[in-house]
Amino acid sequence: MKDWDKLKKLVHHRDKHICQSCGKFPSSQVHHIIPRRKDGKDKYNNLITLCTRCHMLVSPIPDSVLIKLFHINPKELDNEKNKVHRNISKFVSRQNYKA
């Protein structure tokens, strides 16, 4: 098993396979709190379990795709994205560590 696979397994275990934003179970996406494109590392403290929907809402995916895929009212899209970001921030605060 590769290091990345082992790390993902540890993160899923820590988070009990629950999306740390919306609570969906089971969830299998691992998200970088500080994105790789902003020099975020593949480290345990920089990873969080999210469901596909929450993960896509905080990923660099065009708004038009998100609106169509998840049937989100365009006027509510920013609120949906911000909700996931707030929940990730709460997770980091609860864990009492810096990503």
Side-chain angles (χ1 to χ4, degrees):
M1 187 180 282
K2 296 180 183 177
D3 289 342
W4 173 245
D5 293 331
K6 288 179 187 177
L7 185 55
K8 286 194 310 185
K9 187 175 180 177
L10 287 171
V11 172
H12 286 140
H13 179 73
R14 176 197 66 203
D15 297 341
K16 298 177 174 70
H17 298 272
I18 297 170
C19 176
Q20 298 301 299
S21 177
C22 73
K24 182 177 179 182
F25 173 84
S27 293
S28 61
Q29 301 283 312
V30 173
H31 173 69
H32 287 78
I33 296 166
I34 299 173
R36 285 179 174 162
R37 68 184 179 281
K38 293 184 180 177
D39 295 323
K41 306 297 180 206
D42 291 345
K43 302 231 181 225
Y44 184 77
N45 290 350
N46 189 42
L47 299 170
I48 184 173
T49 301
L50 296 176
C51 67
T52 301
R53 182 182 190 274
C54 290
H55 194 203
M56 290 180 76
L57 284 168
V58 294
S59 296
I61 295 172
D63 288 353
S64 59
V65 172
L66 296 171
I67 290 165
K68 184 175 181 179
L69 185 62
F70 297 118
H71 307 286
I72 298 172
N73 180 329
K75 294 178 183 176
E76 293 298 315
L77 184 59
D78 284 340
N79 289 337
E80 293 293 317
K81 289 180 175 184
N82 289 335
K83 183 169 41 174
V84 177
H85 283 292
R86 281 191 309 272
N87 288 334
I88 290 170
S89 294
K90 287 178 187 176
F91 170 86
V92 171
S93 295
R94 280 193 316 267
Q95 297 300 317
N96 199 23
Y97 60 72
K98 201 167 94 173

